[in-house]
Amino acid sequence: MSAQLLKWAFEELADAGVASPQADAEVLLAYALGVDRGELRRLVVLGREVPDDAADAFSLLVSRRAAREPLQHLTGTAAFRHLELAVGPGVFVPRPETEEVAQVAIDEAAKIVGERESAVVVDLCTGTGAIALAVATEVPGTRVHAVELDKDAHAWAERNVDAVSAAVAGVGTGTTPQAAPERVVRLVKGDARTALYGIDGLADVVVSNPPYVPSDAVPVDPEVAEHDPAVALYGLGPDGLEVPRGITDAAARLLRPGGLYVMEHAEVQAEAARTMVAAARDADGHPVFGIPETRKDLTGRPRMVVARRTASPVPGS
């Protein structure tokens, strides 16, 4: 019975320290059965039997999840806002907290599109392409550029950009799309600190969820410490902000006057991130950003720094 299987899985996952054992058990059984969670719940209410092959697959999935393999690696997908993204070993799994970072970029892009019908958005350290694809699909009229250096992460981003582009073009819907759908995001393989020189001073928004964990701050959760790639976690330097400093310099170069910069950081880095952004200078030694502010994520924690590119030297600087 599906209810009995779910009860067993819940107990196995709870004993293993999984944070959301009931939800994970349901997701995995739905995956093994090839249905969504709504249909799974209907089957449970009806007391339907689980086929032997699905039960065996489910048992293996539960064992792997109990060993703290990420849920998203087991199902091959991660939800981000309205998107279902392909994920797996070699790429950072997008978190719900980052959806609010994306929201800031989306709101700004929508405002710009409303004012002049188009906007240029840059996503640095794109990983799966989550933020870039959210902006591109939620704000028609944006030209989105995404940069990723790591070859494995870039491959996942390319897969997601291709899939979303095909869906937007109508592939598989009975329509007749163009043979090669136009990509909704321009994906660049390169160093986020130096890429995209061709659009210097033209970006309306630069958004980033860069590596920012200090080298000595090993994450507690095995799903993160053992499965998220180190290149996507550790920001280098004693404060973990060496890579973010490079991203901040790139944002200063890419943004037009008045353009918006938003960067995710750890909760404990709020003050340091503001100081980092305030310290950015142009070639003449003038501050390149106005007064930075800290904003909160969906859980109310201070998790991003936001600042505008100045149009001229800050008075009194």
Side-chain angles (χ1 to χ4, degrees), residues 92 122-132 145-150 153 157 187-188 190-193 206-211 231-232 243-244 246-247:
F92 183 81
V122 174
D123 176 15
L124 299 177
C125 303
T126 195
T128 58
I131 296 176
H145 306 261
V147 181
E148 178 55 56
L149 177 61
D150 181 73
L187 180 63
V188 175
D191 190 327
R193 297 169 297 182
V206 172
V207 58
S208 183
N209 178 16
V231 68
V243 173
I247 299 300

Short mmCIF file of all heavy atoms in Angstrom, two decimals, residues 92 122-132 145-150 153 157 187-188 190-193 206-211 231-232 243-244 246-247:
data_model
loop_
_atom_site.label_atom_id
_atom_site.label_comp_id
_atom_site.label_asym_id
_atom_site.label_seq_id
_atom_site.Cartn_x
_atom_site.Cartn_y
_atom_site.Cartn_z
N PHE A 92 25.49 23.86 -8.59
CA PHE A 92 24.84 24.27 -7.35
C PHE A 92 23.32 24.21 -7.52
O PHE A 92 22.78 24.73 -8.49
CB PHE A 92 25.28 25.70 -7.02
CG PHE A 92 24.75 26.23 -5.72
CD1 PHE A 92 25.36 25.91 -4.52
CD2 PHE A 92 23.66 27.08 -5.70
CE1 PHE A 92 24.89 26.40 -3.32
CE2 PHE A 92 23.18 27.59 -4.50
CZ PHE A 92 23.80 27.24 -3.31
N VAL A 122 22.17 41.32 -16.68
CA VAL A 122 23.33 40.42 -16.66
C VAL A 122 23.29 39.59 -15.38
O VAL A 122 23.13 40.13 -14.29
CB VAL A 122 24.65 41.21 -16.72
CG1 VAL A 122 25.85 40.27 -16.55
CG2 VAL A 122 24.75 41.98 -18.04
N ASP A 123 23.43 38.27 -15.53
CA ASP A 123 23.50 37.35 -14.40
C ASP A 123 24.90 36.76 -14.36
O ASP A 123 25.28 36.00 -15.26
CB ASP A 123 22.45 36.25 -14.56
CG ASP A 123 22.51 35.18 -13.47
OD1 ASP A 123 23.16 35.43 -12.44
OD2 ASP A 123 21.89 34.11 -13.65
N LEU A 124 25.68 37.13 -13.35
CA LEU A 124 27.06 36.66 -13.23
C LEU A 124 27.12 35.47 -12.27
O LEU A 124 26.49 35.49 -11.22
CB LEU A 124 27.95 37.80 -12.72
CG LEU A 124 28.02 39.03 -13.62
CD1 LEU A 124 28.87 40.13 -12.98
CD2 LEU A 124 28.56 38.68 -15.01
N CYS A 125 27.89 34.45 -12.64
CA CYS A 125 27.95 33.18 -11.90
C CYS A 125 26.57 32.51 -11.94
O CYS A 125 25.96 32.22 -10.92
CB CYS A 125 28.40 33.38 -10.46
SG CYS A 125 30.01 34.19 -10.28
N THR A 126 26.09 32.25 -13.12
CA THR A 126 24.69 31.85 -13.32
C THR A 126 24.38 30.44 -12.84
O THR A 126 23.23 30.13 -12.56
CB THR A 126 24.28 32.02 -14.79
OG1 THR A 126 22.86 31.97 -14.90
CG2 THR A 126 24.91 30.95 -15.68
N GLY A 127 25.37 29.54 -12.75
CA GLY A 127 25.09 28.18 -12.30
C GLY A 127 24.13 27.46 -13.24
O GLY A 127 24.42 27.28 -14.42
N THR A 128 22.97 27.09 -12.75
CA THR A 128 21.95 26.42 -13.57
C THR A 128 21.29 27.35 -14.58
O THR A 128 20.56 26.90 -15.45
CB THR A 128 20.84 25.85 -12.69
OG1 THR A 128 20.25 26.92 -11.94
CG2 THR A 128 21.35 24.78 -11.75
N GLY A 129 21.53 28.66 -14.44
CA GLY A 129 20.82 29.64 -15.25
C GLY A 129 19.53 30.10 -14.60
O GLY A 129 18.72 30.79 -15.25
N ALA A 130 19.32 29.76 -13.33
CA ALA A 130 18.03 30.00 -12.67
C ALA A 130 17.60 31.46 -12.71
O ALA A 130 16.49 31.78 -13.14
CB ALA A 130 18.11 29.50 -11.22
N ILE A 131 18.46 32.36 -12.22
CA ILE A 131 18.06 33.77 -12.16
C ILE A 131 17.87 34.33 -13.56
O ILE A 131 16.88 35.02 -13.84
CB ILE A 131 19.10 34.59 -11.37
CG1 ILE A 131 19.17 34.13 -9.91
CG2 ILE A 131 18.76 36.08 -11.44
CD1 ILE A 131 20.25 34.82 -9.10
N ALA A 132 18.80 34.04 -14.44
CA ALA A 132 18.73 34.56 -15.81
C ALA A 132 17.44 34.12 -16.49
O ALA A 132 16.74 34.92 -17.14
CB ALA A 132 19.94 34.10 -16.61
N HIS A 145 21.91 38.36 -20.40
CA HIS A 145 23.21 37.73 -20.60
C HIS A 145 23.57 36.98 -19.31
O HIS A 145 23.42 37.53 -18.21
CB HIS A 145 24.29 38.78 -20.88
CG HIS A 145 23.96 39.70 -22.02
ND1 HIS A 145 24.46 39.52 -23.28
CD2 HIS A 145 23.17 40.80 -22.08
CE1 HIS A 145 24.01 40.49 -24.07
NE2 HIS A 145 23.22 41.28 -23.36
N ALA A 146 24.05 35.75 -19.45
CA ALA A 146 24.42 34.96 -18.28
C ALA A 146 25.84 34.44 -18.47
O ALA A 146 26.20 33.98 -19.57
CB ALA A 146 23.46 33.81 -18.07
N VAL A 147 26.64 34.48 -17.41
CA VAL A 147 28.04 34.08 -17.49
C VAL A 147 28.32 32.98 -16.48
O VAL A 147 27.94 33.08 -15.31
CB VAL A 147 28.98 35.27 -17.22
CG1 VAL A 147 30.44 34.85 -17.32
CG2 VAL A 147 28.69 36.42 -18.19
N GLU A 148 29.00 31.94 -16.92
CA GLU A 148 29.43 30.85 -16.04
C GLU A 148 30.78 30.33 -16.53
O GLU A 148 30.95 30.06 -17.72
CB GLU A 148 28.40 29.70 -16.03
CG GLU A 148 28.77 28.51 -15.18
CD GLU A 148 29.07 28.88 -13.74
OE1 GLU A 148 28.20 29.50 -13.09
OE2 GLU A 148 30.19 28.57 -13.27
N LEU A 149 31.72 30.18 -15.61
CA LEU A 149 33.06 29.72 -15.95
C LEU A 149 33.22 28.21 -15.86
O LEU A 149 33.82 27.58 -16.73
CB LEU A 149 34.09 30.40 -15.05
CG LEU A 149 35.56 29.98 -15.23
CD1 LEU A 149 36.04 30.30 -16.65
CD2 LEU A 149 36.45 30.67 -14.20
N ASP A 150 32.71 27.61 -14.80
CA ASP A 150 32.90 26.18 -14.58
C ASP A 150 32.25 25.36 -15.69
O ASP A 150 31.09 25.57 -16.03
CB ASP A 150 32.32 25.79 -13.22
CG ASP A 150 32.52 24.32 -12.92
OD1 ASP A 150 33.67 23.94 -12.61
OD2 ASP A 150 31.55 23.56 -13.02
N ALA A 153 29.01 23.29 -14.59
CA ALA A 153 27.86 24.17 -14.37
C ALA A 153 27.38 24.78 -15.67
O ALA A 153 26.17 24.89 -15.92
CB ALA A 153 28.22 25.26 -13.36
N ALA A 157 23.66 24.80 -17.34
CA ALA A 157 23.00 26.04 -17.74
C ALA A 157 22.59 25.97 -19.21
O ALA A 157 21.48 26.39 -19.58
CB ALA A 157 23.92 27.24 -17.50
N LEU A 187 24.06 32.86 -23.23
CA LEU A 187 24.92 32.20 -22.25
C LEU A 187 26.37 32.28 -22.70
O LEU A 187 26.70 31.91 -23.83
CB LEU A 187 24.49 30.75 -22.08
CG LEU A 187 25.29 29.91 -21.09
CD1 LEU A 187 25.17 30.46 -19.67
CD2 LEU A 187 24.83 28.46 -21.15
N VAL A 188 27.23 32.77 -21.82
CA VAL A 188 28.65 32.95 -22.13
C VAL A 188 29.47 32.10 -21.16
O VAL A 188 29.25 32.14 -19.95
CB VAL A 188 29.06 34.43 -21.99
CG1 VAL A 188 30.55 34.61 -22.18
CG2 VAL A 188 28.28 35.28 -23.00
N GLY A 190 32.79 31.91 -19.42
CA GLY A 190 33.93 32.78 -19.15
C GLY A 190 33.97 33.23 -17.70
O GLY A 190 33.08 32.90 -16.91
N ASP A 191 34.99 33.97 -17.38
CA ASP A 191 35.18 34.51 -16.03
C ASP A 191 34.21 35.67 -15.83
O ASP A 191 34.25 36.66 -16.57
CB ASP A 191 36.62 34.97 -15.87
CG ASP A 191 36.98 35.32 -14.44
OD1 ASP A 191 36.11 35.81 -13.70
OD2 ASP A 191 38.15 35.13 -14.06
N ALA A 192 33.35 35.56 -14.83
CA ALA A 192 32.35 36.59 -14.60
C ALA A 192 32.97 37.95 -14.30
O ALA A 192 32.33 38.99 -14.49
CB ALA A 192 31.42 36.18 -13.46
N ARG A 193 34.21 37.96 -13.84
CA ARG A 193 34.86 39.23 -13.49
C ARG A 193 35.33 39.99 -14.72
O ARG A 193 35.52 41.21 -14.65
CB ARG A 193 36.05 38.95 -12.57
CG ARG A 193 35.66 38.34 -11.23
CD ARG A 193 36.86 37.84 -10.47
NE ARG A 193 37.53 36.75 -11.19
CZ ARG A 193 38.60 36.10 -10.74
NH1 ARG A 193 39.13 36.43 -9.58
NH2 ARG A 193 39.13 35.12 -11.45
N VAL A 206 22.56 44.22 -12.93
CA VAL A 206 23.52 43.12 -12.77
C VAL A 206 23.14 42.39 -11.50
O VAL A 206 23.04 43.00 -10.43
CB VAL A 206 24.97 43.62 -12.70
CG1 VAL A 206 25.91 42.47 -12.33
CG2 VAL A 206 25.40 44.23 -14.03
N VAL A 207 22.91 41.10 -11.64
CA VAL A 207 22.49 40.28 -10.50
C VAL A 207 23.43 39.10 -10.39
O VAL A 207 23.91 38.58 -11.40
CB VAL A 207 21.02 39.82 -10.68
CG1 VAL A 207 20.83 39.03 -11.96
CG2 VAL A 207 20.55 39.01 -9.47
N SER A 208 23.70 38.68 -9.17
CA SER A 208 24.64 37.57 -8.98
C SER A 208 24.37 36.83 -7.68
O SER A 208 24.07 37.43 -6.65
CB SER A 208 26.08 38.09 -8.98
OG SER A 208 27.00 37.02 -8.86
N ASN A 209 24.50 35.51 -7.75
CA ASN A 209 24.58 34.66 -6.57
C ASN A 209 25.94 33.97 -6.65
O ASN A 209 26.03 32.81 -7.06
CB ASN A 209 23.44 33.64 -6.54
CG ASN A 209 23.53 32.72 -5.33
OD1 ASN A 209 24.24 33.01 -4.37
ND2 ASN A 209 22.83 31.60 -5.40
N PRO A 210 27.01 34.67 -6.28
CA PRO A 210 28.36 34.14 -6.47
C PRO A 210 28.76 33.22 -5.32
O PRO A 210 28.06 33.14 -4.30
CB PRO A 210 29.20 35.41 -6.45
CG PRO A 210 28.50 36.28 -5.44
CD PRO A 210 27.02 36.00 -5.66
N PRO A 211 29.88 32.54 -5.45
CA PRO A 211 30.43 31.83 -4.28
C PRO A 211 30.78 32.85 -3.20
O PRO A 211 31.38 33.89 -3.50
CB PRO A 211 31.70 31.17 -4.83
CG PRO A 211 31.58 31.21 -6.32
CD PRO A 211 30.74 32.40 -6.64
N VAL A 231 33.50 24.95 -6.05
CA VAL A 231 33.70 26.17 -6.83
C VAL A 231 32.49 27.09 -6.74
O VAL A 231 32.60 28.31 -6.93
CB VAL A 231 34.02 25.83 -8.31
CG1 VAL A 231 32.81 25.22 -9.01
CG2 VAL A 231 34.52 27.05 -9.06
N ALA A 232 31.32 26.51 -6.45
CA ALA A 232 30.09 27.32 -6.34
C ALA A 232 29.83 27.78 -4.91
O ALA A 232 28.95 28.59 -4.69
CB ALA A 232 28.90 26.51 -6.83
N VAL A 243 35.87 36.57 -4.33
CA VAL A 243 35.16 36.47 -5.61
C VAL A 243 34.07 37.54 -5.71
O VAL A 243 33.97 38.22 -6.75
CB VAL A 243 34.56 35.06 -5.80
CG1 VAL A 243 33.67 35.01 -7.04
CG2 VAL A 243 35.68 34.03 -5.93
N PRO A 244 33.24 37.75 -4.67
CA PRO A 244 32.25 38.83 -4.76
C PRO A 244 32.85 40.20 -5.03
O PRO A 244 32.21 41.03 -5.68
CB PRO A 244 31.56 38.78 -3.39
CG PRO A 244 31.61 37.32 -3.03
CD PRO A 244 32.97 36.88 -3.49
N GLY A 246 35.37 40.79 -6.99
CA GLY A 246 35.56 40.80 -8.44
C GLY A 246 34.24 40.97 -9.17
O GLY A 246 34.17 41.67 -10.19
N ILE A 247 33.19 40.34 -8.65
CA ILE A 247 31.86 40.48 -9.25
C ILE A 247 31.37 41.92 -9.12
O ILE A 247 30.77 42.48 -10.05
CB ILE A 247 30.88 39.51 -8.58
CG1 ILE A 247 31.32 38.06 -8.77
CG2 ILE A 247 29.47 39.72 -9.10
CD1 ILE A 247 31.41 37.62 -10.20
#
